[in-house]
Amino acid sequence: MSRGKDMEKKIQEVLTRSIDTIYPNRESLEKILNSGKKLRIYMGIDPTATYVHLGHATNYIILKRFHELGHKIIVLVGDFTAMIGDPSDKSSARKRLSREQVKENLKTFKDQISKIIDFENKDNPVELRFNSEWLSKMSFEDVVNLAAHFTVQQMIERDIFQKRIKEKKPLYVNEFFYPLMQGYDSVVLEADVEVGGTDQTFNMLAGRQLAKELQGREKFVVATTLLENPLTGEKLMSKSLGTGIALNEAPNEMFGKVMALPDEAVIQCFIDCTYVDLNKIKQYEGEITEGANPRDIKMLLANEIVKMYHSEKDAAMAQDHFINVFQKKELPKEIEEIEISGNLPIPNLLVQAGLAPSGSEARRLITSGAVEVDGAKITEISTTISTHPGMVIKVGKRRFAKIK
């Protein structure tokens, strides 16, 4: 393929793959991309959890595509906005985080994102910014002046706010501040393009409005598809719900969680979460339509994802682990060994073995039927276990420990 054709293919992919809507329109952005002009493109993420999941990865993969086309990429961490709480797609107000919680959540963010974004690129460096840099310095007068660009009617037109009003649920004034703050990020960064999920469209368009009114310029909004179950419409990944597959998951855990995804979501996950060519994905879709077992295609997906975030060797080993443990019902070849002796109440044993973070969580796991000792299910929290070398403790489907 010639360089011109290759560039055209890359531009088409960045404009269509995992893309829901481009504001004001796709044609205008396509024209600029074809002109060779270098754009400033950013995506923001609030550190409301300690992990980045595959749903976020969709947008970072899109940023990576823009970066490969030579554009300036900015990864924005919303360390200040995380303390306000984004009301996007919420039936109730999001819990506000303290400064200490945000700091704790940020510890491994860059390392996780680095699995996709090349922060070491010297020819076209990627910027990592934090919006506390400017938002924490705003005076009350600054906030009032910013708020004057929006009407209350604009704010309450937001679908999630309308839902809360109809259900007579509280709608807090500070929640109106969130789109103002995210919109102001676009102004400070002088961004030409903002990338984000469709649940962020309202906030991103607020930034487009501010760029026009404060700087007299256009800002494109690239709203990307959310990773959802195509049958139910439910999000497959959500930090606020504590679900999702983190980019820093161990290979076996990552592989198993991908295999646990609904069969109907496999093709969408290939499109949104991998670099696999669209023609190849179409082939997989055709195979499922013709009667292939979705589980077999899902195994290819799991292998691809583990390979992306770990290595080809890790992916192969994780696949073997999954086949042995979950399909053949064998014990894993490698189980972490721990030194524990004596007679212990089962909740204490789980905590000491590192299979439960606390006694209360251990009791929940036991009563839900998730715990086995040497193949026997334990459901009574009063059970005392006499430990012995070689004893295997299993929690859920994927966690094991063996007594030395």
Side-chain angles (χ1 to χ4, degrees):
M1 185 181 290
S2 69
R3 180 176 174 79
K5 287 285 185 183
D6 182 53
M7 183 66 73
E8 184 180 331
K9 181 183 177 183
K10 287 182 176 181
I11 289 174
Q12 288 307 309
E13 184 174 39
V14 83
L15 289 170
T16 57
R17 184 165 179 171
S18 304
I19 304 302
D20 181 88
T21 310
I22 296 175
Y23 301 87
N25 56 68
R26 172 184 157 180
E27 292 73 24
S28 300
L29 180 55
E30 184 175 1
K31 185 177 179 181
I32 293 176
L33 292 175
N34 282 318
S35 74
K37 179 182 177 181
K38 301 306 176 190
L39 301 174
R40 290 175 60 81
I41 303 170
Y42 92 99
M43 178 205 156
I45 182 171
D46 285 355
T48 53
T50 57
Y51 63 91
V52 179
H53 59 56
L54 287 184
H56 304 126
T58 300
N59 293 322
Y60 289 116
I61 288 171
I62 291 169
L63 287 186
K64 177 184 174 74
R65 292 189 187 115
F66 275 118
H67 195 222
E68 289 172 349
L69 287 170
H71 299 287
K72 179 69 177 179
I73 300 302
I74 304 164
V75 173
L76 177 66
V77 177
D79 57 332
F80 188 91
T81 41
M83 295 187 290
I84 297 175
D86 179 10
S88 294
D89 197 27
K90 295 279 160 238
S91 58
S92 60
R94 174 175 275 172
K95 182 182 176 183
R96 295 173 61 202
L97 300 184
S98 68
R99 201 173 292 275
E100 290 70 30
Q101 287 172 309
V102 171
K103 188 176 179 181
E104 180 65 27
N105 289 347
L106 274 173
K107 283 183 177 177
T108 64
F109 252 52
K110 186 177 179 182
D111 288 341
Q112 293 178 64
I113 297 167
S114 294
K115 294 173 184 288
I116 303 171
I117 300 294
D118 182 11
F119 285 100
E120 302 303 316
N121 189 299
K122 298 293 192 294
D123 298 325
N124 183 13
V126 174
E127 285 186 33
L128 181 67
R129 303 288 294 275
F130 297 84
N131 63 13
S132 61
E133 180 188 331
W134 49 89
L135 294 180
S136 64
K137 295 181 176 67
M138 293 182 76
S139 66
F140 192 71
E141 182 180 0
D142 294 330
V143 176
V144 170
N145 289 337
L146 198 59
H149 290 275
F150 299 90
T151 66
V152 171
Q153 288 90 335
Q154 275 180 281
M155 290 296 177
I156 61 174
E157 278 174 6
R158 193 173 191 179
D159 54 355
I160 192 63
F161 289 165
Q162 283 293 318
K163 186 172 184 285
R164 299 246 293 274
I165 291 169
K166 286 177 184 174
E167 294 175 354
K168 300 189 184 307
K169 290 183 177 179
L171 183 58
Y172 295 94
V173 174
N174 69 287
E175 294 182 89
F176 287 171
F177 293 162
Y178 192 93
L180 301 182
M181 302 296 102
Q182 184 171 330
Y184 192 60
D185 291 342
S186 294
V187 172
V188 175
L189 295 174
E190 298 182 327
D192 299 304
V193 181
E194 182 177 3
V195 176
T198 52
D199 58 344
Q200 292 295 315
T201 299
F202 186 93
N203 299 331
M204 294 190 291
L205 289 177
R208 182 168 179 255
Q209 180 176 333
L210 287 175
K212 281 186 175 183
E213 295 183 10
L214 296 177
Q215 297 173 317
R217 62 181 183 81
E218 179 62 273
K219 185 198 90 168
F220 289 94
V221 168
V222 176
T224 62
T225 53
L226 296 179
L227 204 55
E228 296 176 333
N229 184 318
L231 294 186
T232 65
E234 293 179 354
K235 279 186 179 183
L236 297 175
M237 313 281 156
S238 171
K239 282 192 299 181
S240 56
L241 296 176
T243 61
I245 302 170
L247 305 192
N248 59 357
E249 299 268 15
N252 290 349
E253 193 78 6
M254 183 177 279
F255 196 100
K257 284 188 175 182
V258 174
M259 292 303 295
L261 291 171
D263 289 348
E264 57 269 21
V266 170
I267 297 303
Q268 194 60 48
C269 287
F270 259 116
I271 293 170
D272 291 345
C273 305
T274 77
Y275 304 125
V276 175
D277 187 83
L278 289 173
N279 290 327
K280 188 67 175 177
I281 298 173
K282 197 169 185 64
Q283 178 188 320
Y284 292 151
E285 187 174 18
E287 289 175 13
I288 293 174
T289 302
E290 290 169 11
N293 190 333
R295 182 202 62 202
D296 298 334
I297 307 299
K298 198 190 297 183
M299 196 165 286
L300 295 173
L301 172 67
N303 194 292
E304 190 67 34
I305 287 176
V306 175
K307 186 168 65 176
M308 283 173 63
Y309 297 106
H310 294 283
S311 71
E312 198 163 339
K313 180 182 177 182
D314 287 326
M317 290 174 65
Q319 181 167 318
D320 287 344
H321 173 87
F322 182 85
I323 291 170
N324 291 332
V325 175
F326 301 107
Q327 293 185 345
K328 296 182 180 179
K329 304 298 182 183
E330 298 175 359
L331 288 175
K333 292 178 181 177
E334 294 182 10
I335 301 178
E336 182 181 356
E337 292 190 326
I338 52 174
E339 291 187 11
I340 296 177
S341 62
N343 299 327
L344 292 171
I346 184 65
N348 296 33
L349 179 60
L350 294 185
V351 173
Q352 288 190 35
L355 296 172
S358 64
S360 59
E361 176 62 10
R363 290 189 287 275
R364 185 193 69 77
L365 291 166
I366 295 161
T367 55
S368 66
V371 177
E372 292 181 13
V373 175
D374 283 341
K377 186 166 286 191
I378 307 295
T379 57
E380 296 293 332
I381 59 175
S382 59
T383 303
T384 295
I385 301 296
S386 178
T387 61
H388 60 81
M391 174 184 282
V392 174
I393 310 158
K394 178 183 176 185
V395 173
K397 294 181 178 180
R398 290 183 284 272
R399 287 180 287 166
F400 295 83
K402 181 188 285 187
I403 305 295
K404 281 188 179 181

